[in-house]
Amino acid sequence: MGKAQQNNSRVKSDRNSSDKETYQQIVDNFYERLNSTLNHGPEKAIQKHRERGKLLARERIDLLIDKNTPFLELSTFAAYGQYDDAFPSAGIVTGIGVVQGRECMLVANDATVKGGTYIRETIKKHVRAQEIALKNHLPCIYLVDSGGIFLPEQANVFPDRFDFGRVFYNQARLSAEEIPQLAVVMGSCTAGGAYVPAMCDETIIVKNQGTIFIGGPPLVKAATGEEVSAEELGGGEVHTSISGVADHLADDDVDAIQICRRVVKSFPIPQKKDLPIERVKEPACKGEEIYKYLSSDLKKPIAIRSIIECLVDGGDFQEFKENYGKTLITGFANLKGMPVGILGNQSFLTAESARKGAHFIQLCNQRQIPLLFLQNITGFIVGKKYEHEGIARDGAKLIHAVANAVVPKITVVIGGSFGAGNYAMAGRAYEPDFLFMWPHSRIAVMGGEQAAGVLQTIGQNGIGTRLIEQFEAESSAYYSSSRLWDDGILDPAQTRDILALAFTVTMNQPEQKPHYGVFRM
């Protein structure tokens, strides 16, 4: 029996997980919540938007990207459950789409949501999109229709390092790196927001619809007494024939998008990394079959090899150090033809599994193989015996390896993500290229019951029940995604396709040589 066949036999033997129908209810709930965020702003605002002859944000994106190509929308649940749910998707749509055969980062303001104004999560989402674009050399297309900062939240969005000004800083950095910046002004572009098109390499503006001005008509009147209409102050005719702030004048949204597509055609096509791509094979476990291995009860173990079988080509997984450090599964596979190195948790991290993980990451760095982390981790093993053996030292080896990995890394939280295990398995602080969660997954410093137990032990008895409830609410995938601790929640059945898209994007990154600091030995 060959190695791959042996692995498949073992994988079949550990299929003892939860009922598919039970998990289907979790997925149904996920789609119900997702659809509520895709409805844009209130009906009255949508109607007013359409009466002006304008397309909705996602309609603009659908028209812009090449036909029959996917759009990888990011952070759809931004601001979910906050602000009385008045800012669905934080009033902005971001994601990666193909325009004229070129992968582009698209950022589209949703003017039906509080006039497309910016709250804290809007800025985090916009800035995160630019970070992804910078690292992966993606041209940025801004579909601008925004009133700028949401004034009641100004203290939370204006002055700090990663607040509103960071958007324009990033545009300058992206342009300096020869990553094209293109704006399509399809509505209001006010105050600081006026710098989005002004900072772009090239700008399109819609006639009698798009406006760009540092101070709008009310501010001009208050400051100078001058009465002027928005169109006279900073409309399309003004900026394409007088000021020169914009370069192309469009008749309407559709015309603007066609001009945008013609401009993008002149963009250079990035040279992708030369990885050995093999013929794509269907996974051994397809689509919704993955549900039968999942449970909302994180106390139940997840059959990690079965999960891997559902994600990789042909279910073929070449395991590394199979009989050592068994609480961490490591090995090589192909995902839609692309080579990947996979690290998946079987349980808490031990000293052996930490050393194994560090060794495996070094191999992937040396061979220029991208990394996929599948997180279901309670943390590192604890206890007197393990502290005396130096678990902190061995955990540090793994953290060194993760932090200094030079190959692309993508993380999916498939169960729990607790404590230092979150860090060691490429959590948000370790800058994975993308980080996704599954609907049932949870993230916190520890479980609620454990936190209550710790406080009880140190004499803080009174808040145990409240703390469990707090941890339950604050550790959910939706709480995480609302605050942009991740790049989105995925239907597990769609994960293989989305990972393939994301890894394809990371192939735009230049190759780097491995470099590490001091490993305590």
Side-chain angles (χ1 to χ4, degrees):
M1 182 183 288
K3 181 70 173 174
Q5 290 174 306
Q6 290 176 7
N7 281 343
N8 284 340
S9 275
R10 185 185 59 252
V11 166
K12 288 181 175 66
S13 70
D14 67 10
R15 289 180 175 175
N16 299 313
S17 22
S18 70
D19 180 65
K20 179 180 173 183
E21 290 182 6
T22 302
Y23 198 81
Q24 182 67 58
Q25 295 172 6
I26 294 172
V27 174
D28 290 344
N29 177 260
F30 160 70
Y31 279 112
E32 185 178 322
R33 294 183 189 220
L34 180 64
N35 289 334
S36 73
T37 71
L38 299 177
N39 292 331
H40 301 276
E43 188 57 43
K44 185 177 179 180
I46 294 172
Q47 184 180 345
K48 191 174 181 181
H49 190 81
R50 291 199 183 281
E51 286 171 355
R52 291 172 175 166
K54 297 163 74 172
L55 299 171
L56 297 174
R58 290 182 178 86
E59 292 173 343
R60 289 167 172 169
I61 289 171
D62 289 343
L63 196 60
L64 177 60
I65 63 177
D66 295 351
K67 288 183 178 179
N68 302 317
T69 61
F71 175 62
L72 177 54
E73 184 168 339
L74 302 170
S75 305
T76 309
F77 283 99
Y80 179 81
Q82 301 186 73
Y83 311 97
D84 296 322
D85 280 319
F87 288 87
S89 294
I92 196 169
V93 182
T94 64
I96 300 166
V98 177
V99 182
Q100 297 286 24
R102 294 152 175 83
E103 293 161 341
C104 297
M105 177 60 73
L106 310 182
V107 178
N109 299 114
D110 187 347
T112 71
V113 177
K114 301 291 185 181
T117 51
Y118 280 65
I119 53 172
R120 180 180 58 245
E121 287 74 18
T122 320
I123 293 169
K124 287 184 74 172
K125 188 170 174 176
H126 194 143
V127 168
R128 173 60 181 153
Q130 291 176 315
E131 290 172 348
I132 293 170
L134 181 61
K135 192 168 186 181
N136 296 287
H137 294 259
L138 301 175
C140 293
I141 302 174
Y142 305 96
L143 305 180
V144 188
D145 198 346
S146 168
I149 286 172
F150 183 63
L151 294 179
E153 288 289 310
Q154 69 87 24
N156 296 319
V157 299
F158 175 68
D160 210 349
R161 181 183 177 193
F162 290 102
D163 283 349
F164 202 38
R166 193 72 179 192
V167 169
F168 319 127
Y169 171 87
N170 285 341
Q171 285 182 265
R173 295 294 304 276
L174 284 154
S175 185
E177 292 292 328
E178 300 180 357
I179 300 171
Q181 304 292 290
L182 175 59
V184 187
V185 181
M186 311 174 95
S188 179
C189 216
T190 306
Y195 285 103
V196 172
M199 294 293 296
C200 278
D201 308 335
E202 208 162 339
T203 292
I204 302 155
I205 188 168
V206 177
K207 185 191 302 180
N208 300 320
Q209 199 69 261
T211 55
I212 303 171
F213 31 63
I214 301 301
L219 183 59
V220 169
K221 185 176 181 181
T224 70
E226 181 184 9
E227 293 196 12
V228 61
S229 71
E231 191 65 26
E232 291 172 317
L233 183 64
E237 295 282 357
V238 169
H239 286 309
T240 54
S241 62
I242 300 175
S243 74
V245 170
D247 309 296
H248 308 275
L249 185 63
D251 292 328
D252 53 26
D253 279 12
V254 174
D255 186 39
I257 287 169
Q258 293 310 312
I259 295 171
C260 179
R261 285 182 55 81
R262 289 198 293 272
V263 172
V264 173
K265 200 169 185 179
S266 69
F267 291 176
I269 299 177
Q271 188 68 40
K272 286 196 175 285
K273 198 178 293 181
D274 186 22
L275 289 176
I277 306 298
E278 297 189 6
R279 183 176 62 84
V280 176
K281 297 178 184 176
E282 288 298 312
C285 152
K286 296 181 182 179
E288 295 178 2
E289 289 181 48
I290 199 170
Y291 298 161
K292 63 188 177 186
Y293 305 118
L294 300 175
S295 170
S296 60
D297 183 357
L298 298 184
K299 293 177 182 177
K300 293 182 178 178
I302 288 180
I304 187 63
R305 291 186 180 90
S306 298
I307 299 297
I308 292 170
E309 185 183 38
C310 293
L311 298 177
V312 305
D313 290 7
D316 297 328
F317 182 55
Q318 179 190 335
E319 197 159 340
F320 173 75
K321 284 187 180 290
E322 178 182 350
N323 297 315
Y324 179 79
K326 293 183 179 182
T327 65
L328 181 68
I329 306 301
T330 58
F332 301 97
N334 286 328
L335 199 154
K336 292 212 170 181
M338 293 175 285
V340 292
I342 300 174
L343 298 92
N345 300 117
Q346 188 83 315
S347 182
F348 47 72
L349 288 165
T350 63
E352 293 81 7
S353 57
R355 291 194 294 265
K356 170 180 171 178
H359 184 178
F360 181 70
I361 291 169
Q362 285 184 308
L363 290 180
C364 290
N365 274 283
Q366 189 179 71
R367 299 173 189 177
Q368 290 295 311
I369 296 175
L371 291 162
L372 172 61
F373 293 83
L374 301 176
Q375 279 200 18
N376 180 37
I377 178 69
T378 55
F380 285 88
I381 195 167
V382 296
K384 177 180 175 181
K385 174 179 182 291
Y386 306 107
E387 297 294 353
H388 287 194
E389 290 174 353
I391 182 65
R393 178 189 60 235
D394 290 311
K397 292 184 178 71
L398 178 56
I399 289 173
H400 264 287
V402 172
N404 291 295
V406 296
V407 295
K409 51 184 188 278
I410 296 178
T411 302
V412 184
V413 182
I414 66 172
S417 177
F418 296 108
N422 167 277
Y423 302 153
M425 288 294 291
R428 192 63 140 182
Y430 289 76
E431 298 191 353
D433 294 85
F434 296 92
L435 189 154
F436 300 111
M437 299 186 75
W438 282 353
H440 72 286
S441 59
R442 291 191 170 273
I443 181 169
V445 68
M446 63 179 68
E449 293 179 7
Q450 288 85 350
V454 169
L455 290 177
Q456 185 176 13
T457 300
I458 62 174
Q460 302 288 324
N461 295 324
I463 61 173
T465 302
R466 292 200 313 274
L467 195 68
I468 292 173
E469 292 172 353
Q470 178 187 337
F471 270 61
E472 181 74 13
E474 293 179 356
S475 65
S476 80
Y478 298 100
Y479 191 95
S480 166
S481 216
S482 174
R483 289 153 182 80
L484 286 100
W485 300 345
D486 56 67
D487 295 310
I489 303 174
L490 306 182
D491 176 350
Q494 302 295 322
T495 301
R496 172 177 156 87
D497 289 339
I498 290 170
L499 286 177
L501 280 172
F503 274 120
T504 299
V505 168
T506 67
M507 288 170 66
N508 296 328
Q509 297 176 19
E511 190 171 305
Q512 300 179 59
K513 292 197 175 296
H515 180 72
Y516 301 99
V518 175
F519 285 77
R520 297 179 66 89
M521 306 305 287

